[in-house]
Amino acid sequence: MALSGIVIYKMLPQTNCKDCGFPTCLAFAMKLAAKQVELSACPHVSEESKAKLSESAAPPIRLVTLSSNGAEVKAGNEVVLFRHEKTFYNMPGLFIRVRDDQPVEQIKENVAEADAYSVNYVGIDLTLDGFAVQSVSGDPQVFKAAVASVRAATQRPVILISDNPEVIAAGLDSIEGKGALIYAANGENWQQMAALAKEHKAPLAVAGKSLEELADLTEKVKGAGVEDLVIDPGTRDFSSTLAYGTQIRRLALKKNFRALGYPTIVFPGDAGDPGLESMLATQAITKYAGFIVMDDFAPQTVYPLLVLRQNIYTDPQKPIQVQPGLYEINDPTADDPLLVTTNFSITYFSVANEVEGSGLPAWLLVTEAEGMSVLTAWAAGKFDAERIAKDVKRFNAADKINHKRIVLPGHVAVLSGELEEELPGWEIRVGPREAVDLPAFMKQAL
Ligand code: SF4
C-alpha cells in the first residue's frame, strides 16, 4: 500500500542534511511518495525504516531484465505516464519472431541477417534486441532444434513462445535457460510455467483475457515465487491495445496497483500485414509496451522504429550531445581549415556529414555548449567568444595547424569582433549559415 509523504517523512532521519540532493527530508519524502526518487538516495535511513519503506519505495512498474552473453534488454521501472512529465527510462525491446515450422537453416539465416543489422543515428548504433521463437509444431524436439538454431545465429535474448510447458522446457534446455523470457503462463498452465521460470531463473510472461484475470494470475504466480513478470492482456488490435496499455500504466502509476505493475508484451506481428504491423509497433513504442514482437524484418520497417524509440526514450530536458573536442574530417593536414560548431548532435552531424561528403579535409572544433544548436546556444550565452577561445586552447587546436584562421558559423557572425580579442593574432572568418553551404564556401573562401 502506498504511503503518504508525511508517513514517509516520519521514518526518515529528519536531519535535513541535503545528502540526497533535496533541501529537506520532507521534500525528499514527498518525492519518494510520488515515486520520483529512489530510497537509496538517502544514505542515512535506518535498516528498520528501510524495511518498512521498501514496499513504498519499490518501483510501481517492476524492472524486468533479460541478459544473455553481454546483451541486455530492460523493461519497466517507469515513473510517469507522459514523457514530458520527466522522461521514459527503459526502451521497449524489439524482437523478431521465427516459427519452428521453418527449416532450421532458414531460421539461422534469417536470424543472422537481422542480428547483424545496425544503423548509426547521431553517433548511436541502433540494433534490434532479440528474437522470439514460436512453437507451431507443438513438438518439444522440433522446438528445441529451432531454439538451438536461433542461439547459433545470435547471442541476444530470446522469447520462447508456447502454452505447452513441455515445449518450453525443451526450449530452455536448448539454451540452458540463459537470457530467455517464457511466454506464457495462463489459467491452465501457470503452475508448471511458474515452476520452469523458478528453476531456470527466467522471467515469465502471464497472459489473460481481461485485466481482472491478468491481475488474479500475476498474484498467483507471484505467490508461487516468481517475481519477474511480463503481462499480456491479450489485445491485438489498435484501440483495445492502446486502451488496455494505458489502463495498466495508469493503475500501476496512479493507483499503485501492484498486480498489474509489470512491463507489457505486445505482438504487432499478429496483424499479418507489414504495414499494420509497423503502425502497431509505432503505437506500442509510444504507449507503453515493454517488449514488442514483430514478424517483419526489413530495414525500411525497422529503421524508423529504432529511430522513433531512440527519440521517445531520450530525456526531453537533455539534448543529445556529442563529446566536445577537435574532430578530424577526411584526414586533415596542418594546412587545412579549422571550423567551429556546438556539441548538439544534430548540429555536429549536419556539419560533419556535409564536409565529409564533400571530400574536403578540415578540423572541426566542437565546443561545449550544453548540447544546444548554434543559435540557441548563442542566445542562451553558451556559445560565445570566451567559450570558443577556451576550447581552442583546451583542445590544443593551434598545435595541429600551421595557420591561425578559424571559421565561425554564419549565424553568429556577431561574435567575430569579440573572438578577435579573445584570440589575439587569429584571423576570424565568417562561414555560411547553413551546413549544406559549407563545401562551396570552403572551396571558394579558404
Ligand atoms: S539524505 Fe536523508 S537525512 Fe539527509 S536530507 Fe535527505 S532524506 Fe533527510
Side-chain angles (χ1 to χ4, degrees):
M1 166 133 170
L3 301 177
S4 71
I6 296 296
V7 173
I8 294 173
Y9 171 68
K10 287 179 183 162
M11 289 187 245
L12 293 176
Q14 301 176 21
T15 57
N16 299 332
C17 70
K18 302 187 178 60
D19 286 352
C20 56
F22 291 90
T24 61
C25 293
L26 183 60
F28 179 74
M30 292 302 176
K31 287 285 174 188
L32 195 58
K35 317 283 182 203
Q36 290 170 348
V37 290
E38 302 276 338
L39 179 61
S40 57
C42 171
H44 311 297
V45 68
S46 69
E47 289 303 319
E48 190 191 345
S49 296
K50 239 184 234 173
K52 285 186 191 157
L53 287 168
S54 60
E55 175 69 4
S56 176
I61 300 173
R62 188 176 175 86
L63 179 69
V64 173
T65 305
L66 298 186
S67 303
S68 165
N69 303 301
E72 199 171 68
V73 184
K74 289 182 171 184
N77 225 3
E78 303 297 340
V79 293
V80 291
L81 263 175
F82 304 107
R83 177 178 174 264
H84 62 258
E85 290 177 88
K86 193 174 182 206
T87 183
F88 292 169
Y89 289 102
N90 293 302
M91 296 188 208
L94 278 171
F95 286 70
I96 299 295
R97 175 167 55 184
V98 295
R99 293 175 167 83
D100 73 350
D101 59 349
Q102 293 172 270
V104 288
E105 284 309 315
Q106 185 67 52
I107 291 176
K108 218 185 273 183
E109 200 178 303
N110 293 351
V111 169
E113 184 191 356
D115 185 68
Y117 181 75
S118 174
V119 61
N120 189 278
Y121 172 71
V122 293
I124 307 164
D125 290 324
L126 306 180
T127 62
L128 292 161
D129 299 287
F131 295 86
V133 194
Q134 177 147 6
S135 168
V136 176
S137 66
D139 182 328
Q141 291 316 310
V142 173
F143 188 65
K144 186 173 181 173
V147 175
S149 67
V150 169
R151 180 49 83 227
T154 181
Q155 294 301 313
R156 298 181 198 276
V158 290
I159 301 174
L160 305 179
I161 303 177
S162 172
D163 55 10
N164 180 344
E166 281 178 37
V167 170
I168 293 291
L172 285 165
D173 270 356
S174 193
I175 52 169
E176 296 167 354
K178 284 186 190 136
L181 166 65
I182 299 172
Y183 179 97
N186 57 35
E188 281 79 51
N189 68 13
W190 68 268
Q191 282 153 314
Q192 297 101 303
M193 290 293 197
L196 283 171
K198 240 177 123 175
E199 183 192 338
H200 292 275
K201 298 189 176 62
L204 175 62
V206 175
K209 294 186 185 73
S210 66
L211 296 188
E212 291 76 13
E213 185 188 344
L214 205 47
D216 181 49
L217 269 174
T218 59
E219 290 295 285
K220 284 179 180 160
V221 173
K222 196 175 162 193
V226 183
E227 302 267 356
D228 285 335
L229 302 181
V230 171
I231 52 179
D232 174 11
T235 54
R236 295 294 182 265
D237 64 289
F238 284 94
S239 69
S240 57
T241 302
L242 179 62
Y244 272 36
T246 306
Q247 276 185 55
I248 289 169
R249 181 88 151 202
R250 277 187 181 281
L251 284 165
L253 294 186
K254 300 295 180 195
K255 304 289 179 193
N256 205 29
F257 186 57
R258 296 281 179 201
L260 293 179
Y262 301 98
T264 57
I265 184 168
V266 297
F267 291 84
D270 283 355
D273 171 88
L276 287 177
E277 179 178 359
S278 182
M279 287 190 279
L280 280 162
T282 300
Q283 177 179 280
I285 287 170
T286 51
K287 290 181 183 271
Y288 291 105
F291 297 88
I292 299 172
V293 181
M294 301 188 55
D295 283 359
D296 183 41
F297 167 70
Q300 64 270 26
T301 306
V302 169
Y303 175 70
L305 295 175
L306 290 171
V307 171
L308 171 73
R309 184 179 70 162
Q310 190 64 39
N311 284 323
I312 295 288
Y313 280 77
T314 51
D315 186 340
Q317 294 167 50
K318 287 189 198 152
I320 310 175
Q321 308 181 18
V322 293
Q323 199 63 24
L326 187 62
Y327 289 75
E328 299 178 17
I329 304 178
N330 296 331
D331 299 321
T333 66
D335 295 328
D336 290 316
L338 173 64
L339 315 175
V340 61
T341 192
T342 68
N343 70 328
F344 178 42
S345 276
I346 293 173
T347 300
Y348 166 80
F349 280 100
S350 302
V351 173
N353 287 346
E354 288 299 338
V355 178
E356 198 177 328
S358 74
L360 297 169
W363 300 91
L364 180 58
L365 178 68
V366 175
T367 62
E368 171 58 83
E370 297 183 16
M372 294 182 206
S373 64
V374 169
L375 265 182
T376 312
W378 171 73
K382 308 293 181 194
F383 187 54
D384 55 23
E386 196 182 331
R387 281 176 183 246
I388 296 170
K390 200 168 135 208
D391 279 351
V392 166
K393 288 168 195 153
R394 178 159 68 123
F395 299 118
N396 304 316
D399 297 344
K400 306 277 180 170
I401 53 178
N402 60 14
H403 57 83
K404 286 192 166 180
R405 199 169 54 244
I406 186 167
V407 180
L408 276 178
H411 278 298
V412 290
V414 66
L415 292 179
S416 50
E418 288 169 39
L419 193 55
E420 262 172 10
E421 284 175 26
E422 294 287 342
L423 291 173
W426 282 67
E427 181 189 348
I428 314 301
R429 293 269 183 96
V430 176
R433 288 174 165 232
E434 305 300 333
V436 70
D437 297 322
L438 262 171
F441 171 83
M442 288 165 72
K443 279 181 199 154
Q444 287 163 14
L446 297 176

